Short mmCIF file of all heavy atoms in Angstrom, two decimals:
data_model
loop_
_atom_site.label_atom_id
_atom_site.label_comp_id
_atom_site.label_asym_id
_atom_site.label_seq_id
_atom_site.Cartn_x
_atom_site.Cartn_y
_atom_site.Cartn_z
N LEU A 1 88.06 74.62 -70.55
CA LEU A 1 87.82 75.90 -70.05
C LEU A 1 86.56 76.66 -70.78
O LEU A 1 86.03 77.56 -70.11
CB LEU A 1 89.01 76.86 -70.00
CG LEU A 1 90.15 76.40 -69.09
CD1 LEU A 1 91.34 77.37 -69.25
CD2 LEU A 1 89.59 76.40 -67.66
N THR A 2 86.34 76.20 -71.95
CA THR A 2 85.27 76.87 -72.77
C THR A 2 83.91 76.17 -72.30
O THR A 2 82.83 76.79 -72.83
CB THR A 2 85.56 76.78 -74.20
OG1 THR A 2 85.41 75.29 -74.58
CG2 THR A 2 86.90 77.26 -74.53
N LEU A 3 83.90 75.11 -71.68
CA LEU A 3 82.61 74.49 -71.39
C LEU A 3 81.93 75.03 -70.18
O LEU A 3 82.60 75.34 -69.09
CB LEU A 3 82.87 72.97 -71.08
CG LEU A 3 83.44 72.14 -72.27
CD1 LEU A 3 83.60 70.72 -71.78
CD2 LEU A 3 82.51 72.19 -73.50
N SER A 4 80.60 75.25 -70.24
CA SER A 4 79.91 75.83 -69.13
C SER A 4 79.40 74.62 -68.19
O SER A 4 78.93 73.58 -68.62
CB SER A 4 78.65 76.48 -69.58
OG SER A 4 77.79 76.84 -68.55
N PRO A 5 79.60 74.83 -66.86
CA PRO A 5 79.21 73.84 -65.93
C PRO A 5 77.68 73.89 -65.70
O PRO A 5 77.08 73.01 -65.01
CB PRO A 5 79.91 74.21 -64.67
CG PRO A 5 80.11 75.76 -64.64
CD PRO A 5 80.27 75.93 -66.19
N TYR A 6 77.03 74.93 -66.29
CA TYR A 6 75.54 75.05 -66.00
C TYR A 6 74.69 74.57 -67.10
O TYR A 6 73.62 74.05 -66.77
CB TYR A 6 75.28 76.57 -65.85
CG TYR A 6 76.21 77.22 -64.71
CD1 TYR A 6 77.28 77.98 -65.09
CD2 TYR A 6 75.91 76.97 -63.41
CE1 TYR A 6 78.01 78.56 -64.05
CE2 TYR A 6 76.70 77.50 -62.47
CZ TYR A 6 77.73 78.34 -62.74
OH TYR A 6 78.49 78.90 -61.80
N THR A 7 75.07 74.67 -68.34
CA THR A 7 74.21 74.14 -69.45
C THR A 7 75.08 73.36 -70.47
O THR A 7 76.28 73.74 -70.66
CB THR A 7 73.50 75.34 -70.13
OG1 THR A 7 74.43 76.22 -70.62
CG2 THR A 7 72.53 76.01 -69.19
N PRO A 8 74.50 72.40 -71.08
CA PRO A 8 75.16 71.70 -72.17
C PRO A 8 75.57 72.57 -73.32
O PRO A 8 74.72 73.59 -73.60
CB PRO A 8 74.18 70.63 -72.63
CG PRO A 8 73.22 70.40 -71.47
CD PRO A 8 73.14 71.78 -70.85
N THR A 9 76.64 72.38 -73.98
CA THR A 9 77.00 73.25 -75.12
C THR A 9 76.07 73.02 -76.29
O THR A 9 75.65 74.07 -76.92
CB THR A 9 78.46 72.85 -75.57
OG1 THR A 9 79.41 73.06 -74.40
CG2 THR A 9 78.88 73.83 -76.70
N PHE A 10 75.68 71.92 -76.55
CA PHE A 10 74.73 71.61 -77.72
C PHE A 10 73.51 71.05 -77.18
O PHE A 10 73.45 70.02 -76.49
CB PHE A 10 75.39 70.54 -78.65
CG PHE A 10 76.76 71.08 -79.29
CD1 PHE A 10 77.97 70.54 -78.81
CD2 PHE A 10 76.70 72.06 -80.26
CE1 PHE A 10 79.15 70.99 -79.35
CE2 PHE A 10 77.97 72.53 -80.75
CZ PHE A 10 79.17 71.97 -80.30
N ARG A 11 72.37 71.70 -77.51
CA ARG A 11 71.07 71.33 -77.03
C ARG A 11 70.05 71.23 -78.25
O ARG A 11 68.95 71.31 -78.04
CB ARG A 11 70.56 72.23 -76.03
CG ARG A 11 71.26 72.11 -74.71
CD ARG A 11 70.55 73.02 -73.66
NE ARG A 11 70.83 74.41 -73.77
CZ ARG A 11 70.38 75.29 -73.14
NH1 ARG A 11 69.55 75.12 -72.17
NH2 ARG A 11 70.71 76.64 -73.45
N ASP A 12 70.57 71.15 -79.41
CA ASP A 12 69.68 71.12 -80.68
C ASP A 12 69.17 69.70 -80.84
O ASP A 12 68.27 69.58 -81.70
CB ASP A 12 70.36 71.66 -81.85
CG ASP A 12 71.63 70.89 -82.18
OD1 ASP A 12 72.23 70.29 -81.23
OD2 ASP A 12 72.19 70.97 -83.31
N ARG A 13 69.65 68.72 -80.25
CA ARG A 13 69.20 67.37 -80.44
C ARG A 13 68.99 66.65 -79.07
O ARG A 13 69.54 65.67 -78.80
CB ARG A 13 70.14 66.59 -81.32
CG ARG A 13 70.32 67.05 -82.72
CD ARG A 13 71.15 66.13 -83.54
NE ARG A 13 71.31 66.61 -84.91
CZ ARG A 13 72.05 65.99 -85.87
NH1 ARG A 13 72.78 64.86 -85.60
NH2 ARG A 13 72.10 66.54 -87.10
N VAL A 14 68.11 67.25 -78.32
CA VAL A 14 67.90 66.71 -76.99
C VAL A 14 67.06 65.51 -77.13
O VAL A 14 65.97 65.47 -77.78
CB VAL A 14 67.16 67.71 -76.04
CG1 VAL A 14 66.77 67.03 -74.78
CG2 VAL A 14 68.08 68.94 -75.87
N SER A 15 67.39 64.42 -76.59
CA SER A 15 66.64 63.16 -76.64
C SER A 15 65.33 63.28 -75.69
O SER A 15 65.40 63.94 -74.75
CB SER A 15 67.47 61.96 -76.08
OG SER A 15 68.61 61.79 -76.86
N PRO A 16 64.24 62.65 -76.12
CA PRO A 16 63.02 62.53 -75.33
C PRO A 16 63.41 61.94 -73.95
O PRO A 16 64.35 61.13 -73.91
CB PRO A 16 62.06 61.76 -76.25
CG PRO A 16 62.53 61.84 -77.56
CD PRO A 16 64.09 61.87 -77.40
N PRO A 17 62.59 62.11 -73.00
CA PRO A 17 62.87 61.67 -71.68
C PRO A 17 62.61 60.19 -71.41
O PRO A 17 61.64 59.59 -72.01
CB PRO A 17 62.01 62.49 -70.77
CG PRO A 17 60.85 62.84 -71.57
CD PRO A 17 61.40 63.06 -73.01
N GLY A 18 63.39 59.60 -70.68
CA GLY A 18 63.13 58.27 -70.09
C GLY A 18 62.29 58.44 -68.87
O GLY A 18 62.13 59.49 -68.35
N VAL A 19 61.85 57.32 -68.32
CA VAL A 19 61.06 57.40 -67.03
C VAL A 19 61.53 56.36 -65.98
O VAL A 19 62.12 55.38 -66.34
CB VAL A 19 59.57 57.18 -67.27
CG1 VAL A 19 58.99 58.28 -68.21
CG2 VAL A 19 59.30 55.87 -68.06
N MET A 20 61.12 56.54 -64.74
CA MET A 20 61.51 55.63 -63.79
C MET A 20 60.25 55.53 -62.79
O MET A 20 59.49 56.44 -62.66
CB MET A 20 62.75 56.07 -63.07
CG MET A 20 63.28 55.01 -62.08
SD MET A 20 63.64 53.45 -62.86
CE MET A 20 64.26 52.52 -61.60
N ILE A 21 60.20 54.48 -61.96
CA ILE A 21 59.09 54.31 -60.98
C ILE A 21 59.62 54.30 -59.57
O ILE A 21 60.83 53.95 -59.40
CB ILE A 21 58.28 53.01 -61.26
CG1 ILE A 21 59.14 51.83 -61.19
CG2 ILE A 21 57.46 53.16 -62.51
CD1 ILE A 21 58.41 50.53 -61.25
N ARG A 22 58.83 54.57 -58.73
CA ARG A 22 59.07 54.33 -57.24
C ARG A 22 57.77 53.75 -56.71
O ARG A 22 56.68 54.16 -57.04
CB ARG A 22 59.28 55.78 -56.51
CG ARG A 22 60.58 56.42 -56.92
CD ARG A 22 61.77 55.56 -56.37
NE ARG A 22 63.01 56.32 -56.67
CZ ARG A 22 63.75 56.34 -57.82
NH1 ARG A 22 63.27 55.60 -58.82
NH2 ARG A 22 64.82 57.01 -57.89
N PRO A 23 57.86 52.79 -55.74
CA PRO A 23 59.18 52.21 -55.25
C PRO A 23 59.87 51.47 -56.17
O PRO A 23 59.35 50.82 -57.08
CB PRO A 23 58.63 51.34 -54.05
CG PRO A 23 57.27 50.89 -54.49
CD PRO A 23 56.70 52.08 -55.30
N TYR A 24 61.21 51.41 -56.04
CA TYR A 24 62.11 50.47 -56.73
C TYR A 24 63.04 49.87 -55.82
O TYR A 24 63.88 50.53 -55.26
CB TYR A 24 62.91 51.33 -57.83
CG TYR A 24 63.82 50.57 -58.67
CD1 TYR A 24 63.47 49.62 -59.63
CD2 TYR A 24 65.27 50.61 -58.43
CE1 TYR A 24 64.30 48.88 -60.25
CE2 TYR A 24 66.11 49.90 -59.11
CZ TYR A 24 65.73 49.03 -60.03
OH TYR A 24 66.57 48.19 -60.76
N LEU A 25 62.83 48.64 -55.50
CA LEU A 25 63.67 47.94 -54.40
C LEU A 25 64.46 46.74 -55.11
O LEU A 25 65.65 46.84 -55.05
CB LEU A 25 62.59 47.29 -53.43
CG LEU A 25 61.88 48.32 -52.58
CD1 LEU A 25 61.00 47.69 -51.58
CD2 LEU A 25 62.81 49.34 -51.89
N ASN A 26 63.69 45.80 -55.65
CA ASN A 26 64.50 44.64 -56.19
C ASN A 26 64.01 44.35 -57.65
O ASN A 26 63.38 43.35 -58.03
CB ASN A 26 64.15 43.39 -55.32
CG ASN A 26 64.53 43.66 -53.87
OD1 ASN A 26 65.67 43.89 -53.63
ND2 ASN A 26 63.62 43.44 -52.99
N GLY A 27 64.42 45.32 -58.51
CA GLY A 27 63.99 45.10 -59.86
C GLY A 27 62.54 45.62 -60.14
O GLY A 27 62.05 46.42 -59.44
N PHE A 28 61.98 45.27 -61.22
CA PHE A 28 60.77 45.78 -61.76
C PHE A 28 59.57 44.78 -61.46
O PHE A 28 58.67 44.84 -62.26
CB PHE A 28 60.86 46.19 -63.19
CG PHE A 28 61.80 47.35 -63.41
CD1 PHE A 28 63.08 47.09 -63.75
CD2 PHE A 28 61.42 48.70 -63.18
CE1 PHE A 28 63.98 48.09 -63.97
CE2 PHE A 28 62.31 49.64 -63.45
CZ PHE A 28 63.54 49.42 -63.73
N THR A 29 59.70 44.00 -60.40
CA THR A 29 58.45 43.28 -59.90
C THR A 29 58.14 43.71 -58.59
O THR A 29 58.96 43.68 -57.55
CB THR A 29 58.94 41.69 -59.97
OG1 THR A 29 59.18 41.31 -61.31
CG2 THR A 29 57.76 40.89 -59.45
N ILE A 30 56.86 44.14 -58.41
CA ILE A 30 56.34 44.57 -57.16
C ILE A 30 55.35 43.38 -56.74
O ILE A 30 54.33 43.23 -57.29
CB ILE A 30 55.59 45.89 -57.27
CG1 ILE A 30 56.65 46.92 -57.60
CG2 ILE A 30 54.95 46.18 -55.96
CD1 ILE A 30 56.03 48.32 -57.89
N ALA A 31 55.87 42.57 -55.73
CA ALA A 31 55.13 41.42 -55.38
C ALA A 31 54.93 41.46 -53.82
O ALA A 31 55.90 41.82 -53.01
CB ALA A 31 55.96 40.16 -55.75
N PHE A 32 53.71 41.14 -53.34
CA PHE A 32 53.40 41.13 -51.92
C PHE A 32 52.09 40.36 -51.78
O PHE A 32 51.30 40.21 -52.65
CB PHE A 32 53.33 42.46 -51.35
CG PHE A 32 52.25 43.42 -51.97
CD1 PHE A 32 51.01 43.56 -51.39
CD2 PHE A 32 52.51 44.11 -53.14
CE1 PHE A 32 50.03 44.33 -51.89
CE2 PHE A 32 51.48 44.99 -53.66
CZ PHE A 32 50.24 45.02 -53.10
N ASN A 33 51.86 39.99 -50.54
CA ASN A 33 50.58 39.45 -50.03
C ASN A 33 49.84 40.41 -49.12
O ASN A 33 50.50 40.79 -48.13
CB ASN A 33 50.83 38.04 -49.42
CG ASN A 33 51.30 37.01 -50.37
OD1 ASN A 33 50.89 36.91 -51.51
ND2 ASN A 33 52.30 36.15 -49.89
N VAL A 34 48.71 40.72 -49.40
CA VAL A 34 47.94 41.63 -48.59
C VAL A 34 47.95 41.17 -47.14
O VAL A 34 48.06 42.03 -46.26
CB VAL A 34 46.42 41.85 -49.15
CG1 VAL A 34 45.76 42.78 -48.29
CG2 VAL A 34 46.61 42.41 -50.56
N SER A 35 47.65 39.96 -46.90
CA SER A 35 47.57 39.38 -45.50
C SER A 35 48.92 39.36 -44.75
O SER A 35 48.95 39.04 -43.60
CB SER A 35 46.93 38.05 -45.58
OG SER A 35 47.69 37.15 -46.25
N GLN A 36 50.08 39.60 -45.49
CA GLN A 36 51.30 39.54 -44.77
C GLN A 36 51.93 40.90 -44.83
O GLN A 36 52.71 41.24 -45.86
CB GLN A 36 52.24 38.50 -45.42
CG GLN A 36 51.60 37.08 -45.33
CD GLN A 36 52.41 36.08 -46.13
OE1 GLN A 36 52.61 36.10 -47.33
NE2 GLN A 36 52.93 35.08 -45.42
#
């Protein structure tokens, strides 16, 4: 009951951000043929 649903209780050690790409379909290989 003491926890806020809006902000984390402890924010003094926030980890640096990870990243992600789009498009992401079948893993991290983007493979195609221009003529197809």
Side-chain angles (χ1 to χ4, degrees):
L1 291 177
T2 67
L3 299 178
S4 169
Y6 304 106
T7 57
T9 304
F10 299 105
R11 289 185 287 175
D12 56 337
R13 294 184 179 180
V14 176
S15 298
V19 294
M20 191 57 183
I21 58 170
R22 294 290 186 277
Y24 177 73
L25 296 180
N26 302 306
F28 293 96
T29 296
I30 296 176
F32 62 94
N33 293 321
V34 176
S35 60
Q36 297 176 300

